[in-house]
Amino acid sequence: YGNKLVMEDEINKIKKIFIESGSLDYCNKLSNNLLNESKELLFKNNFKKERMENLSKIFEYIINRKN
């Protein structure tokens, strides 16, 4: 992924900027809100319970995975 010439310390600086600026927290909160909205929409429709649970688990995995 990305520029293979980027040094580890440069990557760490960028991560630090995302954390200190609040961008990481904002994105985490936004993704959790969207996850909850998606779950609500799933449960409002007439999907089979097993399908809803599987989709819900997939959504949670995507949101909570670490890169």
Side-chain angles (χ1 to χ4, degrees):
Y1 291 68
N3 185 348
K4 302 212 185 286
L5 301 176
V6 175
M7 304 300 287
E8 185 76 23
D9 63 323
E10 293 174 304
I11 293 172
N12 290 332
K13 286 179 188 177
I14 293 169
K15 287 180 179 180
K16 185 177 178 181
I17 290 169
F18 272 88
I19 292 168
E20 290 178 353
S21 69
S23 296
L24 183 62
D25 286 336
Y26 173 80
C27 289
N28 286 333
K29 288 177 186 176
L30 178 61
S31 62
N32 283 323
N33 287 340
L34 292 172
L35 171 65
N36 290 332
E37 286 179 31
S38 299
K39 285 180 180 180
E40 287 177 23
L41 289 172
L42 278 176
F43 289 108
K44 285 181 183 178
N45 290 302
N46 291 327
F47 287 108
K48 291 183 180 179
K49 185 177 180 178
E50 182 181 345
R51 287 185 183 170
M52 288 190 302
E53 289 174 357
N54 289 337
L55 284 171
S56 182
K57 287 177 185 178
I58 291 169
F59 293 160
E60 287 187 37
Y61 170 78
I62 292 169
I63 297 299
N64 296 317
R65 69 189 169 117
K66 302 291 181 199
N67 292 330

